[in-house]
Amino acid sequence: MLGFWLGILRALADEEVVAGMSMPRYATGVVYNDWVAPYHGLLLRSTFRAGLRALPARGEMLRRLAGGDTSSERQAHLVRDCKRCIAATERVIETLRAALREQGLRDETRV
């Protein structure tokens, strides 16, 4: 699940990541399919995809995260914060994966 949120953060931090797709389409078509869908059965996949389609556009998400401030300075600051969060999250994910590998743990159970 951390990989899912990391993908969403990457899309927020870098407009080129979404490659011309809307944020909801990117979230459902790329991030969810790559990170979460393989572990969900039909019912959860349908539910999550429907929920993700309700996401606002990238620009709207950034505006809301910025508390409504639409200044380019605030937007740039928010993008920098996202990039710092990405770097920290990547370190956390790798540490968790290493610990799980070390313990021989891997759960691929569908829910």
Side-chain angles (χ1 to χ4, degrees):
M1 202 61 171
L2 286 175
F4 171 81
W5 291 113
L6 186 59
I8 297 297
L9 281 172
R10 283 186 178 128
L12 284 172
D14 185 355
E15 191 170 13
E16 292 180 16
V17 168
V18 295
M21 283 192 260
S22 68
M23 188 66 175
R25 186 171 176 206
Y26 180 78
T28 58
V30 178
V31 181
Y32 176 76
N33 285 343
D34 287 352
W35 290 99
V36 185
Y39 304 100
H40 282 176
L42 179 63
L43 181 62
L44 279 176
R45 279 196 308 267
S46 299
T47 303
F48 267 75
R49 285 185 178 128
L52 290 171
R53 284 187 197 107
L55 286 174
R58 179 183 177 272
E60 177 64 14
M61 287 180 80
L62 288 172
R63 187 187 68 72
R64 289 181 187 182
L65 287 170
D69 186 347
T70 58
S71 69
S72 58
E73 180 180 305
R74 178 65 179 127
Q75 298 291 315
H77 181 59
L78 183 58
V79 167
R80 283 192 305 273
D81 284 350
C82 283
K83 288 179 179 179
R84 282 196 296 274
C85 186
I86 289 167
T89 303
E90 286 173 336
R91 289 191 302 270
V92 168
I93 290 171
E94 188 47 46
T95 301
L96 288 171
R97 284 182 180 155
L100 291 171
R101 276 192 306 269
E102 183 178 301
Q103 298 299 317
L105 299 173
R106 182 167 173 94
D107 183 6
E108 296 184 18
T109 306
R110 288 180 150 218
V111 292

